[in-house]
Amino acid sequence: MAAVIIFLGVLAVFRFLRRIWHDPREPPLIHQRIPLVGHIIGLHRRGLKYFNHLTSAHDSPPIYTLKVLHKTLYVVNNPNLAKAVEQNTKALSFLPLEVAVSERILKIRRHDMRRVRADLDHGRGRSGYLRDLHNTHQKVLSPGPALTRMGDQGLYKIVQFLNDQKGGVLGLYAWTRHVFTVAMTTAVWGQASPFTKDFKLEDSFWIVEEKLKILLVDIYPNYATPSGSKSREHIFHKFLDYYNNCETSSPSTSKFVKAKSTLNQEHGFSNEYMARTDLGELTAVLFNIVPASFWLLTYIFSNPALLADIREELETMKVTPRRRSSCSTRAYDLEVDITRLQQSRLLTSTYYEVLRLAGAGVTTNRVVLEDTLLFPSSTSAPQDSYLLKKGALVQIPNSVIHADPRIWGPDVESFNPRRFLDNPALAASSAFRTFGGGASMCPGRHFSFRLVLAFVAAVVEGFEVVPVGDGGGDRADGEGWLLPEMDWTRLPGLLKPVGDLRVRLERRDALRFVHDELFT
């Protein structure tokens, strides 16, 4: 018996040492001061900025290796290598991580997870349900009539909200969050969205977002975060009612939800499975669009010259006044073509610059499915390649690439709204990584682009936004706008502000909004 115990102990030590042993063909190893847990402590203290610290402290290696407990992590800092990672979908896959995270956060039932994992294990997600699900996302969220209709429905809710806005003092982030929670959930799930029937659902979702780290750890979540667990179940039950009541048949339900519902039914998944996976869809829909809109508003309104230039540019969106119906109390309208906002070059450049800065919180992750060689370019010699070992994780932190002065110039740390105006190719380059890249590039980027720019343009045209002090009066501290710091401690995604920003919202020139129009 003792011999068996010793043998098993030696075998366990051998397997552990094999995992932490570093092959010289792998990317260079960055050691940690405290064995096994040093990098964990660094990430806890600095957040994603820990990668910037390691990069600058080790002469900016294009890729390096970290040993975290018994796991190997390859960190990519070079856009060319990042592109090579994303192109190698056979050996480097996001799906195992997606499935694992879904199991923890969504609490999908075991029998459903067994079917998903079987699909992952047998076809690596390149056939069966996971492939069909990926194709459905890409097809329905690509530019076309279905996406336009979904966007129109979201814009309509934004228009309603702005027309009802009387002004006053408010928290800009909380206000923006509410606008998009209502608009996006209606755009996707239709007029019968669970959020239109239970107003408390909005609070539940943002509690889950706040507690997402604890829910992801998934160690006794009912005790670790009672509010997070309760809110999660609240969302599940309301979406289960949505599917049980066949609300997907409503004409206002988006083609995205209809197509996904049909796909799940074809593969034999229940309404409960669909309800639980919709928390993942909610996260995708709302997680990044809110901070993107908030930062775009704050950067524009805190820069008077930029605000004036964008307003001047938006004037070109107005066409010749036209007479409305005889029932209208106004003789003429000024029409604004929302679809032309993509031609608003300065506003678009400002948006991309905001995504460069706030998008530093985004990371791309892959699992190494088999030993593979990573080449910096198609012409690289074998000796210039890097060995990536099966079972390791690959991470591409935007915080490093988006802060590289060799790519973005000496003003990389500054907000430059004309950066993409002067060099439009940057937005399509492998160095601009807010939407990820390769086969897993964010499929909703076209949808969010349209709604964010439409919302911000309407606020810029229709309102004055003035920062206020704690007493509600205009700031008079000599500093003008004091933007909140970006929160680097949240899970990967666009960086949220630390706290909110109190502002006074005032209407301009009695403007009133209509769908795809502004008129006085």
Side-chain angles (χ1 to χ4, degrees):
M1 183 66 179
V4 173
I5 294 175
I6 292 174
F7 171 77
L8 292 176
V10 171
L11 182 61
V13 171
F14 172 76
R15 287 182 173 177
F16 176 76
L17 292 176
R18 182 181 172 186
R19 285 185 174 183
I20 66 171
W21 176 70
H22 184 256
D23 190 313
R25 296 174 295 169
E26 292 179 89
L29 176 66
I30 292 183
H31 296 280
Q32 45 196 338
R33 293 182 179 179
I34 303 176
L36 301 180
V37 298
H39 294 312
I40 294 177
I41 295 173
L43 284 167
H44 176 72
R45 289 178 176 175
R46 299 173 184 260
L48 293 173
K49 279 193 172 182
Y50 182 62
F51 295 120
N52 299 63
H53 165 72
L54 290 178
T55 300
S56 60
H58 295 85
D59 299 323
S60 302
I63 183 172
Y64 56 82
T65 303
L66 300 180
K67 298 292 185 179
V68 181
L69 295 178
H70 64 284
K71 283 288 187 181
T72 297
L73 175 65
Y74 303 121
V75 181
V76 178
N77 295 326
N78 178 274
N80 292 331
L81 286 175
K83 186 176 181 180
V85 167
E86 289 161 342
Q87 289 177 338
N88 191 349
T89 57
K90 181 180 179 181
L92 307 172
S93 176
F94 173 67
L95 283 175
L97 291 172
E98 183 179 21
V99 171
V101 169
S102 297
E103 185 174 16
R104 287 171 174 264
I105 292 181
L106 307 182
K107 304 304 289 183
I108 296 173
R109 301 305 183 194
R110 289 184 179 179
H111 63 278
D112 286 326
M113 283 309 306
R114 280 197 294 267
R115 297 175 61 189
V116 173
R117 286 194 174 279
D119 184 26
L120 179 66
D121 294 339
H122 295 158
R124 291 187 175 179
R126 292 193 291 271
S127 62
Y129 171 70
L130 292 175
R131 179 205 59 190
D132 293 344
L133 182 62
H134 172 79
N135 291 342
T136 296
H137 279 80
Q138 295 295 332
K139 181 180 179 180
V140 179
L141 295 177
S142 296
L147 188 68
T148 298
R149 185 178 181 279
M150 189 164 66
D152 285 345
Q153 196 155 254
L155 287 174
Y156 181 76
K157 296 303 292 186
I158 290 174
V159 162
Q160 281 187 320
F161 190 88
L162 293 179
N163 281 337
D164 294 338
Q165 181 62 49
K166 305 301 182 183
V169 176
L170 47 80
L172 187 59
Y173 188 84
W175 181 71
T176 304
R177 189 175 73 180
H178 175 60
V179 172
F180 275 101
T181 302
V182 174
M184 298 295 278
T185 54
T186 304
V188 177
W189 285 275
Q191 299 296 332
S193 160
F195 282 75
T196 65
K197 297 184 176 182
D198 185 347
F199 297 124
K200 293 182 180 180
L201 209 57
E202 181 176 340
D203 291 335
S204 291
F205 174 76
W206 292 109
I207 289 173
V208 169
E209 188 260 359
E210 181 184 352
K211 305 297 184 181
L212 208 54
K213 275 187 177 180
I214 305 175
L215 294 173
L216 180 59
V217 173
D218 198 31
I219 298 178
Y220 297 108
N222 291 339
Y223 299 99
T225 172
S227 62
S229 295
K230 183 178 179 180
S231 297
R232 178 170 60 183
E233 290 304 314
H234 181 207
I235 294 170
F236 291 156
H237 288 138
K238 293 302 176 181
F239 272 89
L240 182 58
D241 290 343
Y242 175 83
Y243 288 107
N244 285 342
N245 294 332
C246 301
E247 300 291 5
T248 55
S249 61
S250 168
S252 65
T253 302
S254 71
K255 187 175 180 180
F256 169 73
V257 170
K258 290 178 182 291
K260 186 186 170 195
S261 176
T262 300
L263 174 68
N264 284 327
Q265 290 172 0
E266 289 174 349
H267 284 271
F269 288 105
S270 65
N271 285 348
E272 181 181 354
Y273 173 82
M274 290 190 282
R276 290 186 175 275
T277 57
D278 270 3
L279 176 56
E281 303 296 355
L282 276 171
T283 302
V285 165
L286 294 171
F287 201 69
N288 289 326
I289 199 170
V290 174
S293 303
F294 168 82
W295 289 118
L296 187 54
L297 286 173
T298 55
Y299 275 112
I300 290 174
F301 278 98
S302 64
N303 188 325
L306 176 63
L307 176 61
D309 288 344
I310 289 179
R311 278 178 173 165
E312 181 179 352
E313 184 181 54
L314 289 176
E315 287 296 318
T316 65
M317 303 296 128
K318 294 179 180 177
V319 300
T320 305
R322 62 180 177 84
R323 185 176 295 276
R324 293 186 70 81
S325 68
S326 59
C327 298
S328 176
T329 58
R330 294 175 173 82
Y332 293 97
D333 302 337
L334 286 177
E335 185 178 273
V336 172
D337 185 355
I338 295 296
T339 61
R340 290 177 58 195
L341 283 173
Q342 295 181 35
Q343 302 171 27
S344 177
R345 297 178 66 240
L346 179 55
L347 181 58
T348 300
S349 176
T350 305
Y351 174 60
Y352 285 143
E353 177 69 351
V354 165
L355 293 184
R356 183 186 71 86
L357 294 172
V362 177
T363 63
T364 301
N365 303 282
R366 297 288 186 273
V367 174
V368 183
L369 301 179
E370 57 190 45
D371 288 0
T372 188
L373 294 177
L374 188 66
F375 292 87
S377 70
S378 58
T379 59
S380 299
Q383 62 268 24
D384 296 326
S385 64
Y386 299 96
L387 172 64
L388 307 183
K389 287 189 172 182
K390 179 180 179 180
L393 300 178
V394 180
Q395 190 165 69
I396 309 171
N398 288 8
S399 60
V400 177
I401 295 178
H402 280 197
D404 191 336
R406 295 169 298 183
I407 300 169
W408 305 100
D411 65 341
V412 65
E413 298 292 337
S414 303
F415 169 70
N416 179 359
R418 289 173 170 78
R419 190 185 307 277
F420 292 85
L421 192 63
D422 299 334
N423 189 355
L426 283 173
S429 72
S430 56
F432 183 64
R433 304 200 46 77
T434 301
F435 300 114
S440 62
M441 179 177 283
C442 174
R445 62 192 183 279
H446 306 292
F447 181 49
S448 61
F449 176 88
R450 185 182 180 214
L451 266 69
V452 169
L453 263 65
F455 168 71
V456 170
V459 174
V460 167
E461 278 287 277
F463 297 89
E464 297 291 354
V465 180
V466 183
V468 298
D470 293 337
D474 294 351
R475 294 191 67 107
D477 54 10
E479 296 293 330
W481 284 73
L482 290 178
L483 302 189
E485 294 182 1
M486 292 183 174
D487 184 2
W488 289 85
T489 63
R490 75 185 305 223
L491 284 172
L494 258 67
L495 298 170
K496 289 173 56 178
V498 177
D500 207 339
L501 181 65
R502 296 181 72 246
V503 300
R504 174 179 288 107
L505 205 64
E506 300 172 349
R507 299 190 72 92
R508 298 176 68 223
D509 303 326
L511 279 176
R512 175 174 163 77
F513 303 91
V514 290
H515 191 209
D516 284 3
E517 299 174 335
L518 292 172
F519 67 91
T520 55

